[in-house]
Amino acid sequence: PPCALSKSKAMRGLGIHKACSHFLLLLPLLLPPTAGIGASQGHGQGQAASTSSPLTEQPVSVSSTATSGCISDNIMSRHEQDGEEARQIAQYLPYFPFKGIPRFYDIGGFLAEPEVFQRIVDIFVARYAEIGIDSVAGLDARGFILGPPIALALKKPFIMMRKEGKMPNTISSSAYNTEYGKRAGLTVQKDRIKKGDRVLVIDDLVATGGTLSSAINLVHALEGTVVECACVVELKMFIDPTEESGLPSRTRLFKEQGIEGVPVWGLISEDVLTNEAELPEGYVDDGEEH
């Protein structure tokens, strides 16, 4: 599948070799360095728990001569999907019954905790400083929250991929399907991506891959290259489900669109997202129509 779920697959998908270049210390990031993240106990609403099990702060570095498609063993081991850091961060991603979906993962949980949010930014920055990118494209709308701090830390331009009718001088992708239903295509401004640009696509969550496929097609239309699609959460159940499950297949979708070579990376999967939100009395699923 196009998703990079293991070290070996990621290394094959990105053409990675072990001979990575030397690093310089990253300039200070947007927020103060994190002192640690405590793994919360039991169920909650994504509020920070005590720091009885602190996350050891890891230095973040940027390569002065980032080699295309190069990720070191250190980055791969530290930031593997559902690894130690990911499991701690997962405690700040509560799920709610919302939009008719039993488990809607709310990024508001970690956004309310600056140290947790900063740690996520640090992880993404470390990964893509090594790979080497030219710009960061964030998807409407949560990608607009995650993308800018990552782009600023990497000193790279941020590109908005918005719904139709929101920006001038744009091209549009075709309509696409999501886990919620059919959506109109995304748009990007024509002069934001140049031929050969290495673009990192950012969103909060990947499920069926419909939104990501729309973004990938926009980059390709402007003759850019999608280095990777990166999300905080990846729902693995949609990667390559059986026909009997009735679930849409991200692998099949990417193949049909000829974009199966684009890797997808998620920090956290549903396997460790077990923090069920405590619903207030009278809670109503008031999510938009889907």
Side-chain angles (χ1 to χ4, degrees), residues 213-259:
S213 71
S214 182
I216 293 167
N217 287 323
L218 285 175
V219 175
H220 288 176
L222 293 173
E223 300 185 89
T225 298
V226 178
V227 174
E228 195 162 69
C229 296
C231 302
V232 178
V233 175
E234 176 184 40
L235 300 183
K236 298 189 297 184
M237 69 178 77
F238 294 105
I239 295 173
D240 195 17
T242 63
E243 292 288 343
E244 293 75 19
S245 71
L247 294 174
S249 167
R250 193 170 84 223
T251 300
R252 187 184 311 114
L253 172 67
F254 276 37
K255 284 182 178 178
E256 289 172 352
Q257 298 193 15
I259 56 174

Side-chain angles (χ1 to χ4, degrees), residues 98-112:
F98 190 59
K99 297 188 180 184
I101 298 171
R103 290 195 174 198
F104 180 93
Y105 299 103
D106 178 27
I107 68 170
F110 71 71
L111 293 178

Side-chain angles (χ1 to χ4, degrees), residues 75-119:
I75 294 296
M76 291 299 300
S77 62
R78 276 175 49 199
H79 303 149
E80 63 180 331
Q81 187 175 71
D82 297 341
E84 181 181 351
E85 289 181 281
R87 288 173 180 270
Q88 293 184 25
I89 292 168
Q91 296 303 313
Y92 296 85
L93 271 159
Y95 65 83
F96 292 77
F98 190 59
K99 297 188 180 184
I101 298 171
R103 290 195 174 198
F104 180 93
Y105 299 103
D106 178 27
I107 68 170
F110 71 71
L111 293 178
E113 302 294 334
E115 285 137 353
V116 184
F117 188 13
Q118 180 68 63
R119 192 70 205 121

